[in-house]
Structure formats: C-alpha cells, structure tokens
Amino acid sequence: MTRYDRYILLMCLSFFGFFALVLVSVYWINQGVDLFGQLISDGQTILAFLELTTLALPPIIMMVLPVAGFVATLYVFNRLITDSELVILQTAGISPLRLLRPVFYFGAIMAFLVAGLSNGLAPQAEAQFRKRSNILGNDLVAQLMRAGVFQSPISGITIYISDISPEGELQGLFIHDRRSETREVTYRADRGYLLRDAENARMILLSGRSISLDRVTNRLSDLSFERLNYDITQAQSPTGSGSNEEPENERGMSTPALIAADQDLANRAGIPLDRIKWQLHYRFAQAMFAFFVPLIAASCLMLRNFSRLGLWAQIMLAVGLVIPLQMSKNLLSAQVINAPHLAPLAYVQPLLCAVVFGAVLLAVYKTAHWRLMRQPDLVEGGA
C-alpha cells in the first residue's frame, strides 16, 4: 500500500467513523424515545430500557454503515477535488482506476464490517431483543403498577387502580373477571398489594366485596371480605399472553441455522422457508452492497473537469444512483414473498451496483481521455 493509498484510506476511515457515530446516535435516540415511553408506561425500570436499547444497537449499526461509508467517501473526494489534489495526481498521468484503489480497500473494510454484523452480532442481538421484549411484555406486576387507567393485561380481565402510595399500596381497586363462560365476578377493595415470588404473582385485596353473576341461573351473589388472595398467574394460559415463548424470527436465526434450515424448521417457526433462505442470501448480498457504495460515490465525483465551482451535480448524481439501488432490496423482497424459490434474487442488488459502478467508471475514463486530448490545444492556445 503506497503513501497515497494510506492517505486516502485514513481520511475515509476517519470521516466514516464521524458520520457513523452521528447517524447511529440519531437512529438510536429516535428509537430509544419510542421505546422509553412504551416501557415506562408499562411500569418497567430504567435498567430494562437500557438493556433493550443496547440490544437494538447492532441492527442499527448494520443499517447505518453503508450510508456512513457513502457520505464519508463523498466528503473526502469532494475535499480532494476542491483542493486540487486529484488534479495534480491526474496531471501526473495516474489512471482513474489507480486513483480509486484506496476506495477499493475502504469498500472491502465496509463489506467485512457489515458481513460480521449481519452474520454474527446482529442476529444474536435480534433474538435476545425479542426474547427480552416478550418477557417484559408478560410482566404483569409491572403492567399493573399504573394508577388511574383501565387495564386489560389478560383477555377477559379488566383492572382499575385509583392510586398507588409511595409504599406500593394499591388504593381503590376494581377487578372485573369475565373469563368463565358460566360465571362473571366483580371485585372491589379499598386497599391491596401486589406480591410476587419466583413463579407466581398474587394480588391481596383488603376490605372489599365481590359480586358474582351466574350466567346460567342469572343469580347474583354478594360477598364481603376482609382479605382475599387473587392469583394473577392462574389467569394466564400457556398459549396466551402469559407464555414467554414466541415463534422464532428469521432475523434472529444464526447463519448456520439458516444454511441448515428445512421445511420442518420453517413449520416450527411459522415462517415460509423461502423467507428464511432470502434472509440467508440477503446477509451476504448486504456486505457486497456495502463494498460498491463507496466506489459509486467516488467515481461519480470524478465525472468532470476539476474546478472550484462545486460538485453539486456529481453529488446529486451519486445520491440519485444509490437511493434506487437501496430501494431495489425492498422490491426484490416483495417478489420473494410472492413467488417461491427466488431467494437468490437477493444478489441482484449488488449485481446492479457493479453494473452502475462499471458504467460510471467507463464514463470517467472517457472524460479523462477527453481532457488529455484537449491539453495540447490548451497549451498551444496559451502560447
């Protein structure tokens, strides 16, 4: 690697780190705000929020890396052109492909990072995120610790708590249980507590009454009580909202699991086998896409005579080429869902990137040849 290659590569990596940090922070904060409101409204703690936002970070980084590499390459080559550094190098007879060699190195680093995330850290984080979200979502004690709102944490049960004291005492409780087809019960209590051990959660109702309606005989019974144990965990069915198990998602599967996936695994996960295979191919295609994005950005900026008048037209061209390439992934994904055995279409996106880069590089060579042909005329005119 020559001094020129190290110089360009270090500049690209430096600005890539800056833009990646900015973009990841924006996406992370935006997602964190929504997640914070949801978790706090469910009565969860700050530690649960920090855990979930940390698990959401690897997929965000994987999504942002190609964008950060694209923006960093645009910035570096715009700076090199406006400072006339590339003018000197081209005047020295260096070919466009040679000028792009450090960008090839940079693209390879981008592809390696994206491949590592998409095949390693991101699936693990996705699986753990879904698991923890499901467990927290079934935390009835946390959900019930909200005052002033009617809640239905379980189908067939409505709970209202007027107020919660600083000591955790529940005041003004109302519970309406209509899960049974033959019996409907309403509980009201002046005070109460939520108790939880390793496996069970109970509500202790104090100084209240229960009204029971027999739907078969239409008989109404009224019972006063000083203390009543109401077991919340009995209201949860193994296949209902109380279950911590959730169908596996293809984004949370490891790459070896995707490779070995068969119809039995797809049936157990409740996911079409073609969608699982699409995820496998897409993880490798995403790394290829990240390789070509910086090359398209750099080659587009070399499509003109170097001057200090700005490169907005070339920048907009690069953006206009990359955005449809990124959108093509969504279109291809829809085609795979609607048509079987088309999972290898995931490689169409990097293939289109290679074609676009080749076309732009060819135009750069033609532009460079035209400038070299004009140089003798310019010299004679100056003489």
Side-chain angles (χ1 to χ4, degrees), residues 351-373:
L351 180 61
L352 290 175
C353 290
V355 172
V356 169
F357 169 65
V360 175
L361 184 62
L362 181 61
V364 170
Y365 266 97
K366 290 184 177 180
T367 304
H369 178 71
W370 177 76
R371 282 196 298 265
L372 291 174
M373 294 293 294

Side-chain angles (χ1 to χ4, degrees), residues 247-365:
E248 196 169 4
N249 183 278
E250 71 273 12
R251 293 192 301 271
M253 295 181 181
S254 65
T255 299
L258 293 177
I259 295 175
D262 53 13
Q263 191 60 50
D264 291 338
L265 175 62
N267 293 336
R268 290 196 304 270
I271 307 171
L273 181 60
D274 296 316
R275 210 168 81 184
I276 295 178
K277 294 302 182 182
W278 160 266
Q279 181 66 26
L280 172 64
H281 293 294
Y282 175 66
R283 290 182 183 179
F284 295 102
Q286 203 172 16
M288 299 178 189
F289 174 75
F291 172 77
F292 284 107
V293 166
L295 292 170
I296 294 175
S299 58
C300 284
L301 292 192
M302 298 172 63
L303 269 175
R304 70 184 299 272
N305 291 321
F306 301 115
S307 70
R308 299 182 182 273
L309 299 178
L311 296 165
W312 286 108
Q314 284 68 35
I315 292 175
M316 295 306 298
L317 173 63
V319 173
L321 290 175
V322 170
I323 289 179
L325 291 172
Q326 176 63 27
M327 294 175 60
S328 65
K329 185 266 295 186
N330 299 327
L331 299 176
L332 294 170
S333 178
Q335 292 298 322
V336 171
I337 293 175
N338 296 327
H341 311 303
L342 294 180
L345 282 179
Y347 299 105
V348 170
Q349 184 189 34
L351 180 61
L352 290 175
C353 290
V355 172
V356 169
F357 169 65
V360 175
L361 184 62
L362 181 61
V364 170
Y365 266 97

Side-chain angles (χ1 to χ4, degrees), residues 78 120 138 169 201 205 220 259 273 378:
N78 180 64
N138 290 318
E169 182 183 67
L205 307 180
L220 191 68
I259 295 175
L273 181 60
L378 294 175

Side-chain angles (χ1 to χ4, degrees), residues 14 28 65 115 138 143 155 177 204 216 281 291-292 299 344 355:
S14 299
W28 196 31
L65 284 185
N138 290 318
Q143 293 183 38
S155 178
D177 190 341
I204 308 299
V216 177
H281 293 294
F291 172 77
F292 284 107
S299 58
V355 172

Side-chain angles (χ1 to χ4, degrees), residues 88-143:
I88 299 173
L89 293 172
Q90 190 176 36
T91 304
I94 300 178
S95 67
L97 191 60
R98 176 61 185 87
L99 293 175
L100 289 174
R101 191 166 74 177
V103 186
F104 277 93
Y105 295 145
F106 179 57
I109 294 175
M110 294 287 301
F112 177 78
L113 292 175
V114 173
L117 284 170
S118 62
N119 291 281
L121 191 57
Q124 296 177 13
E126 176 74 21
Q128 188 65 19
F129 180 87
R130 289 172 60 83
K131 180 180 178 181
R132 291 296 300 158
S133 297
N134 194 40
I135 293 175
L136 294 175
N138 290 318
D139 190 349
L140 292 178
V141 174
Q143 293 183 38

Side-chain angles (χ1 to χ4, degrees), residues 140-141 154 179 195-197 199-203 230-238 242:
L140 292 178
V141 174
I154 302 167
R179 291 172 294 120
L195 302 179
R196 182 176 184 179
D197 55 26
E199 298 180 354
N200 300 313
R202 295 178 297 156
M203 183 176 286
Y230 186 75
D231 194 343
I232 303 176
T233 55
Q234 289 182 355
Q236 294 179 275
S237 107

